Amino acid sequence: MSTSISLTHCWNGGTGPAVDNTQLQLTRETGILEPDEDRGRYTFHCSSSASHAFGVQPSGDYHFTVTKIQDNPSGYYLSADDVTVKY
């Protein structure tokens, strides 16, 4: 089965400027002697619900990270109605 992340309606969390988009990165965790693996990034648009399939991933432990909000790595707040991860 493909690994996917869904994000429903994101916004600025009541603080700061409006938010239109956010980028999420899927990461596979590796051993302490190796760097974690970047398994892909996707930019979600906040005006609607969106889902992105990252494809079939190898077994292991994973996490996702917000890497950008409004195309910036810092300086913004983000809230979402719902976040779903399927694998």
Side-chain angles (χ1 to χ4, degrees), residues 4-80:
S4 67
I5 299 174
S6 299
L7 188 63
T8 304
H9 300 106
C10 52
W11 72 95
N12 69 354
T15 304
V19 171
D20 295 324
N21 66 73
T22 185
Q23 183 183 75
L24 302 182
Q25 175 181 310
L26 180 66
T27 301
R28 182 174 180 256
E29 298 170 4
T30 58
I32 60 172
L33 300 178
E34 301 174 40
D36 288 347
E37 295 176 11
D38 176 350
R39 303 299 294 175
R41 295 178 184 203
Y42 182 75
T43 299
F44 291 83
H45 297 281
C46 296
S47 61
S48 63
S49 300
S51 182
H52 179 72
F54 288 89
V56 176
Q57 299 294 319
S59 64
D61 293 325
Y62 288 82
H63 67 269
F64 71 87
T65 305
V66 174
T67 54
K68 292 182 180 180
I69 302 171
Q70 288 301 99
D71 299 319
N72 291 292
S74 65
Y76 286 85
Y77 294 91
L78 181 76
S79 291

